[in-house]
Structures are given as structure tokens and as C-alpha cells.
Amino acid sequence: MGAEEKGTFKLKVGLAQMLKGGVIMDVVTPEHAKIAEDAGAVAVMALERVPADIRAQGGVARMSDPELILKIMDAVSIPVMAKARIGHFVEAQILEALGIDYIDESEVLTPADEEHHINKHAFKVPFVCGCRNLGEALRRIGEGAAMIRTKGEAGTGDVVEAVRHARRVLGEIRHLQNLPEEEVMAYAKELGAPYELLMETRALGRLPVVNFAAGGIATPADAALMMQLGVDGVFVGSGIFKSGDPAKRAAAIVKATTHYNDPKILAEVSRNLGEPMVGRQVSDIPEDQLIADRGW
Amino acid sequence: MKIGVLALQGSFHEHQAILQTLGVQVVQVRLPQELDGLDGLIIPGGESTTIGKLAVDFNLLQPLQQFGKEHAIWGTCAGSIFLSKDAHRQQPLLSLMDIQVERNAFGRQVDSFETDLEIPVLQSVSKEKPLFHCVFIRAPLIEKVGTGVEVLAKLPDGRIVAARQGHLLATSFHPELTEDARFHQYFLEVVQ
């Protein structure tokens, strides 16, 4: 019998594999976390403000108070994630010390470094990172991310950017698969992606880690749309707790993510959910206020 | 042979991929009628609270219990919790296997681990040494087994991580996350 190994890349990716087909929900209180768990969330993202409030209130958005994160960890039996600022490896060290299950190095918070992301290989805790395209996804995986989420545009309730980023990543993978091997190096240069990871992606026909969608998903139909486009699961941020009936909407989005290919069930679960989050059309947001552009 | 994989949530694609390398026909099960004509079923890893809730919402609880009376079912990690009688917590369970489990028994994700364990029953499918690479992710432990439940694998300290009761199989770890198909082959033997 061999020794026990901890903190391996396989274990990091493995937890994300266990979240597949599920919904990860943003929560700001232990009570929200319970509602999310009871609705069938596979994990919760513990934070002080949902993205819609971060957007509205402005200011510097940082890692949440560890006290709040610990209370949320105590409240539920499912995995708990929390966000660190891009490049802020000390926030990540603190989150790891708290025993968090996954760290989201997130563009939703104000970046701490405008050139470099965290070296995620240096941690035992797994990381999820956002991306808008294949190059960005593979750069993050190269730094040690064990899970990827397409960014979308957080806090808007507008799914358009989530669709754009998922189509971009999945489309670039399809293109990559059609390239003869001698053209892959030039494509790596074009995308700014590590060559070895590009070759691995080409062989697998998908990203080498689990890929969720995020940023603007607000309805069961939005969740099913992302699943049909080919992602492994969804993050819902402001879309649940900024709606009229969070418990009901949360449960409906969970059902829609499982039965994403069954329009009859989607019609049934979409009925009578109360007010969706008001939302903000991405095309009305000035370019310098777009969150998804953060990340290098 | 036709094997179902409960596809409500979790690592069902991973199970499906291994079964397909063994030449088995695989059906994803999300609704009760999809159990018809199956010879056995795998309940994958995932979140047991999510899988349980969706099983209740889509009226699968009773059909799954009925199925398990006559057919083989194998639960990995969350699936083993779902098969158990007691998980120390109010959540939907199939109560098919006479085992008591403790969820997240090893701690949080930073305590997840992988290790090689000896699993003697695997010798029925392969002559090689019955060491198996076991991946434990926020894993449950099988705390107690009832009479008629056979223990298949233990950690070096004696704690139980795999058990069989007739045609029902529970593992705390994830054979679907390895390239090794022996546990799936063993399950197919149980099915037959």
C-alpha cells in the first residue's frame, strides 16, 4: 500500500468533476447559503456583495471578511468557494488557511496586479479562473487553475457575454482540432497559449479541466442555453438573490441545468418564478466599466 | 448488457466513458422511465444533497428503490451516501444498503487524498496484484455495516471504504477518475 498524497492536480480537478452538471450560487449570508443548499446547489461562493452590488456601489472590491466565510462554511455541507483578487496571492493564502474548498481568482474583485495572476501551483487548494477565449483559459491552466469558467459579464443579468465567451472558447477548440499538427505552434503564438496545453486540448477535444459558464445567467433558460452550448455547469451570481423569489428561482435553475435538453421540463420549471433580477444590458455599459476585460 | 448511469449531476460522463471501453451499452438516467430494460445502474460521485433533491423532484426515489431490489446498483462517493440507510443528516436517501456513512469524514478539500489500497475481490477480474489507486475527494466513510454486508476495502487504519451487500456496491472513492477499469469490470460481474 502506498502513502497518501494530498493537494495533487488530480484531486484539484477531481473536485470540479464532482460539481459537473450542477449550479454554483453566490451567497452573502449563512441564510442564503442554506437556501442555496436546500435548492440543490452543488457549491456556494461566499462573498460580501454580489456582483450587481459591487457594480452599483463601486469602490475597491476585496476578499470577503474571513468571519463571514467561516460562518457560511459552518452553515452548509456542500463545498464553499471564495474569491481572491487577481494576483493577490496573500488573499489566496488566507483563504487556504481558512480551509476553503475552491478559490476563485476573480475579475469581479478589483485586480491587485495588472500583469500577473497568482501562481496557483504553489497551493494545495484548487483554483477556478475566468476566461474569454481559449488562450486565456490555457494561460490560467498553465498557472495551475484546476477549473475554468467563461467570464460573461458579472452582475448584469444579461447572458450575451456568457454566450460570446463560451462560443469563443468552444469554437477555438473546434478550429484547433482541424489544424494539422505543424500549424499548432503558430496558433499557440497567436492565442498566447502554452503549446503543450494546446496539444493536450487538441487531443482531448475539450479543455483539460472542467469548464463552467458564468456572468449574466439569470433564468432556467439561460442555464440550459449555456449547457446546450457545451459547458459542464453554471455559476449564478446576482441572478438568484437579486430576484423576487430566490429559493424558487434557485431550485428551478438547478432543475434546468440537469434537464437542459428537455424543453418540456424547461417550460414547466420556468413557470411562475416571480420577478427576475432587473439586469443591465451589457451594450449600455461604458467600455471602461466592463469587468470581463480584467485578466491578462 | 445495458447499464444506466444516474445523470442528475456529477461524474456520470466519466463512468460512461469507462463502461464504453468495456463494450457496454450505456444509458443516462434522469427520469423514471429511463430505468426500463437496464441490467444495472451506477450512481456517480457528485453532491449527494443535489442528487437526492433532484431524485425527489423528478419522482425517482421509489423507482430507484424498486430497481435496487432486483438489480445491481453501484454508488461511488455521493452515490454510496445515497444508497445508505443513514448519513447522520436529514437528506433524501435510498436506504437500500445496510450501511451507515459519515459525509466529509476526512475534512474539507485540502484533506482530499489519493492512495493505493488492496482490494482482494478485484482478483476475480484480473490476475495482477489487487492494488487499486483510490481517489478520495471530500469523501465519506462507511462507519458501520449491517449483517450480510461484506467489507471490500479498508484504509491502513482499518476504516471501511468499500462494501458489498448482495448486488449492491458502495465505494467512498472514485474509480471513475482513474484509467483502471477493474472496478467497473467487477461491477459488471456483480450485474451478471
Side-chain angles (χ1 to χ4, degrees):
Chain A
M1 266 170 257
E4 287 183 7
E5 281 187 282
K6 292 185 180 180
T8 63
F9 197 63
K10 187 180 194 69
L11 291 165
K12 292 174 176 179
V13 175
L15 178 56
Q17 284 174 285
M18 296 310 133
L19 303 176
K20 282 166 65 177
V23 183
I24 300 168
M25 302 181 191
D26 277 2
V27 298
V28 298
T29 65
E31 294 71 37
H32 279 184
K34 275 304 291 173
I35 291 171
E37 182 177 47
D38 292 344
V42 287
V44 291
M45 177 75 70
L47 63 174
E48 277 169 349
R49 296 181 289 173
V50 294
D53 289 336
I54 292 175
R55 209 173 253 297
Q57 293 162 10
V60 177
R62 309 179 179 90
M63 176 188 79
S64 297
D65 183 343
E67 179 68 14
L68 171 77
I69 295 170
L70 287 169
K71 281 186 179 152
I72 288 172
M73 285 164 63
D74 272 347
V76 293
S77 66
I78 55 179
V80 179
M81 303 183 166
K83 290 183 194 290
R85 283 179 264 176
I86 289 175
H88 205 317
F89 51 87
V90 174
E91 284 188 348
Q93 290 165 3
I94 291 170
L95 292 173
E96 181 174 58
L98 294 176
I100 203 82
D101 295 300
Y102 238 96
I103 295 175
D104 183 6
E105 186 185 16
S106 177
E107 69 282 0
V108 168
L109 304 184
T110 310
D113 189 325
E114 293 193 333
E115 286 171 70
H116 306 288
H117 284 249
I118 297 170
N119 171 20
K120 294 163 276 286
H121 292 295
F123 290 79
K124 281 196 164 170
V125 62
F127 282 76
V128 54
C129 287
C131 76
R132 288 156 296 178
N133 52 53
L134 182 58
E136 196 174 13
L138 295 181
R139 287 195 296 279
R140 298 295 85 82
I141 297 168
E143 295 155 356
M147 179 178 184
I148 288 294
R149 53 174 176 74
T150 46
K151 285 178 180 171
E153 189 59 29
T156 60
D158 186 349
V159 81
V160 66
E161 292 299 299
V163 169
R164 188 192 317 279
H165 299 155
R167 278 203 186 277
R168 181 83 185 267
V169 171
L170 298 166
E172 285 173 337
I173 292 173
R174 285 188 287 269
H175 175 68
L176 170 66
Q177 283 186 285
N178 287 323
L179 290 181
E181 194 172 335
E182 66 271 20
E183 293 183 15
V184 175
M185 185 59 88
Y187 196 47
K189 185 180 170 193
E190 181 190 327
L191 296 182
Y195 174 76
E196 296 300 333
L197 286 173
L198 211 51
M199 286 301 287
E200 190 182 345
T201 302
R202 181 170 174 266
L204 291 170
R206 53 158 295 141
L207 286 180
V209 303
V210 168
N211 176 27
F212 272 44
I217 296 161
T219 67
D222 289 348
L225 172 66
M226 299 316 297
M227 292 297 289
Q228 286 196 27
L229 283 173
V231 301
D232 297 317
V234 296
F235 282 85
V236 185
S238 319
I240 289 170
F241 288 99
K242 285 285 166 192
S243 75
D245 190 343
K248 201 169 179 186
R249 182 165 295 266
I253 292 176
V254 168
K255 291 178 195 171
T257 303
T258 291
H259 293 282
Y260 66 91
N261 253 334
D262 191 328
K264 275 193 183 146
I265 291 179
L266 294 176
E268 186 57 38
V269 303
S270 299
R271 286 171 64 178
N272 214 8
L273 295 181
E275 282 297 306
M277 78 176 277
V278 175
R280 192 167 166 198
Q281 207 173 309
V282 174
S283 52
D284 289 347
I285 300 175
E287 220 165 283
D288 62 346
Q289 288 175 27
L290 290 175
I291 286 173
D293 290 342
R294 301 164 169 176
W296 353 105
Chain B
M1 203 181 324
K2 209 159 129 184
I3 303 292
V5 184
L6 194 64
L8 296 174
Q9 188 272 320
S11 56
F12 54 89
H13 284 119
E14 287 79 355
H15 275 293
Q16 179 167 1
I18 296 187
L19 288 171
Q20 281 164 344
T21 65
L22 297 173
V24 172
Q25 195 189 338
V26 185
V27 177
Q28 293 185 1
V29 176
R30 292 182 179 80
L31 294 168
Q33 60 269 27
E34 288 160 342
L35 288 167
D36 294 346
L38 297 180
D39 300 302
L41 180 77
I42 294 179
I43 305 175
E47 279 306 314
S48 63
T49 49
T50 304
I51 293 172
K53 179 174 192 301
L54 286 163
V56 170
D57 290 345
F58 292 94
N59 304 312
L60 268 158
L61 221 44
Q62 214 214 337
L64 284 170
Q65 285 165 333
Q66 196 55 43
F67 184 86
K69 283 181 185 154
E70 295 145 22
H71 300 92
I73 303 184
W74 172 22
T76 61
C77 194
S80 73
I81 297 168
F82 196 38
L83 275 176
S84 76
K85 272 198 170 146
D86 184 355
H88 291 291
R89 192 178 175 281
Q90 274 300 323
Q91 67 179 73
L93 299 174
L94 293 176
S95 300
L96 281 166
M97 270 185 93
D98 192 3
I99 56 173
Q100 194 180 69
V101 298
E102 188 193 350
R103 290 183 58 201
N104 304 331
F106 301 92
R108 308 196 69 97
Q109 170 62 11
V110 287
D111 303 303
S112 291
F113 63 99
E114 40 185 322
T115 189
D116 291 333
L117 294 180
E118 202 174 320
I119 306 179
V121 291
L122 294 182
Q123 259 169 332
S124 72
V125 295
S126 163
K127 290 284 167 264
E128 61 186 289
K129 204 162 174 249
L131 272 186
F132 194 85
H133 191 68
C134 301
V135 182
F136 292 87
I137 295 175
R138 285 174 49 96
L141 198 61
I142 302 173
E143 284 180 308
K144 271 191 207 156
V145 300
T147 46
V149 180
E150 182 190 353
V151 173
L152 301 184
K154 287 180 184 177
L155 292 170
D157 62 11
R159 291 184 291 175
I160 303 168
V161 292
R164 175 179 176 175
Q165 180 179 7
H167 54 264
L168 303 170
L169 211 54
T171 56
S172 306
F173 50 90
H174 295 281
E176 77 274 21
L177 295 189
T178 68
E179 310 275 296
D180 190 340
R182 281 179 296 160
F183 223 107
H184 288 80
Q185 285 173 292
Y186 175 66
F187 175 64
L188 297 182
E189 278 189 4
V190 175
V191 172
Q192 283 168 338

